[in-house]
Each structure stands twice: as structure tokens, then as C-alpha cells.
Amino acid sequence: MAEYLVELYVSQGDHAVARHHVAVAEQAGADLAREGRAVRYLQSFFVPEDETCFLLYEADSVDLVTEAVGRAGLRLEHVSAATTSVAGAQESPDGTTKGTSMTSTTTSTTGTPDLSELRDKQQKVWSSGDYNKIAALTVPVSEHLVDHVGVSPTDRVLDVATGTGHVALAAARRSAESVGIDYVPELLEIARRRAEAEDLVVELAEADAEHLPYEDASFDVVMSAIGVMFAADHDAAARELVRVTRSGGRIGIASWTPEGFVGGMLRTVGAHVSPPPGAQPATRWGTEEVVAGLLGEGVSDVRSETAKVTQRFTDAGAFADLFLTYYGPTFAAASRLDDQGRAALRADLVALAESHDRGEGDGLVVDWEYRIVTATRR
């Protein structure tokens, strides 16, 4: 499959129109992929100064890309093979975002994209803010994953991208031999304090999902809850999940879905600040077909189910402020915007939350959809 860059005209550089283009383009790509067509949406880039929105697709042919754009109801200005990628928002001397530009993708000596720089950037993003205040919201997701996979006391378990340790701790509570890795030292320290507070034995190590420091077939169960989906190199991370799982062992992954609330939040952030070059949508992992393809022929019996975790906030403004202050991706994005840009991002987050409010009681009640995908190592 090759990458194709679609150019669309956006009247008056309208952010709202660009965000709509991104949403319908992503949905069209997902619909075609579910039909078994070899096309998928990767990311978008908006250049308000040029009144242009770029959409990046991966497909077997330009015809499939054209079909995806047509299905999205968008007017195609131009489509070409993507030999370049977006470098992200250009920063002016005062550090504010002034738009996006195109630049050549960094490649390694083998001709493949070098994602080490992207990994470093992502590590810094997750080190910013105070993810511990956000992580508490995902405890039910991790508990559900451990229950769903069926961790037992005889299992040796690996939690990939453990963060503050949710899955690793849940496995240890079941008396399993529990190991967790993450590439953010600050989050691992919180996980260690939590394990000590509960008097649980958990081995924690600093590592990234694409380079697990363990031998082949080292674990009975390998899991990740809202973690591996944010890896820089999705293919490498998936290969590592399979590699370290023993034959007959289980793999379980919980990820936010593209269609759900968090998928919408990440798209909202991306409409204001373009992702780094080479970044793929994290919510790809929320689609069973994508995860099955990533895990490859080394697994069998791939299954999935969706579930929702209900979140409650004082109001939509409280939700937006919490995530702008403490959640790495939104905190980092907001820090690249000027006052007007931050206000616009906050307004869009508030609008998103209000559109998902279940209308129960005085506060904001929203459901966050996630998908659990399980597989068995051949």
C-alpha cells in the first residue's frame, strides 16, 4: 500500500469546515476498510493561511482514495502520491502556532521512516501535564480488561505501556506474576508507590512498547489498556506483543474507538494543532480489523467487544479545563497555541462534551466507548 495526499479547498480558512472534512474523511476511510477495501485514513493537516486542508490516506490505488473522498461528500482539488509529510505546526519566535508546513519525512538507512524522533516527542508529551489525575478515569477499563482476559494466579503477565500501573496492579491482585513497562519514568514512580501502598509485588521497568526487554515467549498473558495505542510505531509494537507471548498465551488490548467520545476529543485537538510527522491515529487500535492486521498471522481467534465507561464532571467547562491542564496531548497542544487559539480549543472541547451529555442530573455525564480485542498466540 502507498500513501496518497488529498488537497481540499477550505473557504476562508475556516477551522470548523476543516474539522468537518477530517471527521467525514476518517469515517469514510473506516467504512471502506470495514468493507474489506484496501484503504485507510491516516491523518490530516490544515493550513489556514492557504485555505487548504490535506488528508493523508494509505491505499492500494489512487482510485480507492478518490472513492473515499467522494463517499465523504468532499470536493477533491488534487490527489498525489505522498512523498512528503507534515512537520507539524510552524512556531513563530514567540512560540505560538502560525499554521502547518510540508517537509520531507526523515528516513533511516533502510529507507523506512525513522520514528525515534516521534517517539521522543510523544514521551515528552506524556511527561507533561499530570497524567495521574487523568489516569484515575481509566481504572474501570483496566479492571474490565483483566477480567475479560481471565488472568489467573498461575499466569505471568506483562502490562505494556502501564502508565501508573492499572493493569499490572489488577493482575497482581489476582496473585499473578505481574510485570509492567512504560517509557515515562514519572508514571512508573507513581505505579511503584501504588504497589507499595497495597503491598503488591509488581516488577516495573522503563522501556518502550516497540522494544520490549524480554525474551521470546516470556509471558502467558500480554495486555495493554489505553497504552500501546499511543505507540509511535504501531507495527513494531504489535510485533513485540506477539513475540513475547508464549504459544497458546493470550493477548488483550483495550483502546478508545474512533467513533467514541475520546476519538472525537483527539480529532478536535488535531484540528487545532497538527500531529508530528509520521504519527498515526491512536484510535486505529479501537477497530478489530486493524488490530487483527497489526498482530498478523502469529495469532488466531481474534475477537472483540465494545464497552463504555461513564464519566462525570461538574460541567463541560470543568472537563475541558481538567484535560487542558493535566492530560498530556491536550496540555501539549494548548501550550503551542496563543491565547486566542487556546480559547478556541477550549470552546471546541466544551462543545464536544455538551454534545455527548446524557442529560442526567445537574452535572455532565458522558460515556467513553472503548474496544477490547483479544487474540491467542499460535
Side-chain angles (χ1 to χ4, degrees):
M1 295 175 74
E3 290 185 355
Y4 295 92
L5 195 64
V6 175
E7 182 178 350
L8 306 168
Y9 175 70
V10 182
S11 177
Q12 298 178 348
D14 192 324
H15 283 266
V17 174
R19 287 193 292 274
H20 171 73
H21 287 350
V22 170
V24 296
E26 183 171 4
Q27 186 60 56
D31 290 343
L32 284 171
R34 278 192 289 270
E35 294 169 12
R37 313 292 293 281
V39 59
R40 60 191 176 96
Y41 164 86
L42 295 178
Q43 58 180 307
S44 65
F45 328 117
F46 182 39
V47 187
E49 294 86 347
D50 296 336
E51 300 186 339
T52 305
C53 182
F54 294 97
L55 305 175
L56 186 64
Y57 282 93
E58 186 178 57
D60 272 352
S61 70
V62 68
D63 291 339
L64 281 172
V65 175
T66 302
E67 182 179 351
V69 174
R71 181 174 294 198
L74 302 175
R75 183 167 66 89
L76 178 66
E77 296 289 333
H78 182 68
V79 61
S80 61
T83 57
T84 58
S85 68
V86 164
Q90 289 183 328
E91 291 185 355
S92 65
D94 63 359
T96 59
T97 297
K98 300 300 182 184
T100 59
S101 64
M102 305 300 293
T103 185
S104 298
T105 303
T106 302
T107 57
S108 67
T109 55
T110 61
T112 58
D114 182 359
L115 296 177
S116 58
E117 182 179 352
L118 172 60
R119 190 177 301 113
D120 290 342
K121 289 180 179 179
Q122 289 182 332
Q123 197 273 348
K124 291 176 182 177
V125 165
W126 290 107
S127 299
S128 64
D130 186 350
Y131 183 65
N132 192 38
K133 289 182 169 60
I134 304 298
L137 302 174
T138 65
V139 169
V141 179
S142 300
E143 298 287 350
H144 182 196
L145 175 62
V146 172
D147 285 340
H148 187 75
V149 174
V151 173
S152 73
T154 59
D155 287 326
R156 186 170 191 242
V157 176
L158 175 64
D159 177 14
V160 177
T162 187
T164 56
H166 292 344
V167 170
L169 293 172
R173 294 188 196 104
R174 288 173 168 246
S175 299
E177 182 183 349
S178 185
V179 179
I181 68 97
D182 202 281
Y183 66 174
V184 182
E186 296 86 350
L187 299 184
L188 288 173
E189 183 55 35
I190 293 171
R192 290 189 182 93
R193 294 201 302 267
R194 293 180 65 198
E196 291 172 0
E198 295 190 47
D199 197 21
L200 296 172
V201 178
V202 179
E203 177 186 326
L204 296 165
E206 184 178 343
D208 60 65
E210 299 95 323
H211 305 91
L212 299 177
Y214 304 105
E215 299 293 331
D216 295 356
S218 295
F219 297 91
D220 303 296
V221 180
V222 176
M223 293 182 289
S224 183
I226 320 299
V228 73
M229 66 182 292
F230 292 104
D233 188 335
H234 293 189
D235 292 316
R239 287 195 298 270
E240 285 292 88
L241 294 177
V242 176
R243 181 185 67 79
V244 300
T245 306
R246 68 165 176 80
S247 178
R250 292 101 70 205
I251 297 172
I253 306 163
S255 310
W256 303 123
T257 63
E259 306 83 6
F261 178 85
V262 178
M265 180 179 68
L266 294 175
R267 285 194 300 275
T268 298
V269 173
H272 286 265
V273 177
S274 297
Q280 294 178 295
T283 51
R284 297 176 64 221
W285 292 79
T287 302
E288 179 182 326
E289 294 81 3
V290 171
V291 177
L294 287 169
L295 296 178
E297 297 180 356
V299 302
S300 62
D301 194 26
V302 178
R303 302 181 183 184
S304 78
E305 67 174 43
T306 58
K308 295 179 180 178
V309 55
T310 300
Q311 308 290 2
R312 294 173 171 82
F313 304 91
T314 304
D315 53 36
F319 153 76
D321 291 337
L322 177 70
F323 274 73
L324 287 169
T325 304
Y326 298 114
Y327 185 55
T330 42
F331 175 88
S335 68
R336 298 181 64 185
L337 297 168
D338 57 19
D339 290 343
Q340 183 178 357
R342 284 191 290 272
L345 173 57
R346 183 183 186 278
D348 284 346
L349 290 174
V350 168
L352 174 71
E354 290 177 341
S355 70
H356 284 75
D357 187 9
R358 283 171 28 180
E360 298 178 2
D362 296 329
L364 174 74
V365 182
V366 292
D367 291 328
W368 294 2
E369 184 183 70
Y370 61 96
R371 181 179 297 278
I372 290 180
V373 181
T374 57
T376 301
R377 179 73 163 96
R378 292 186 187 276

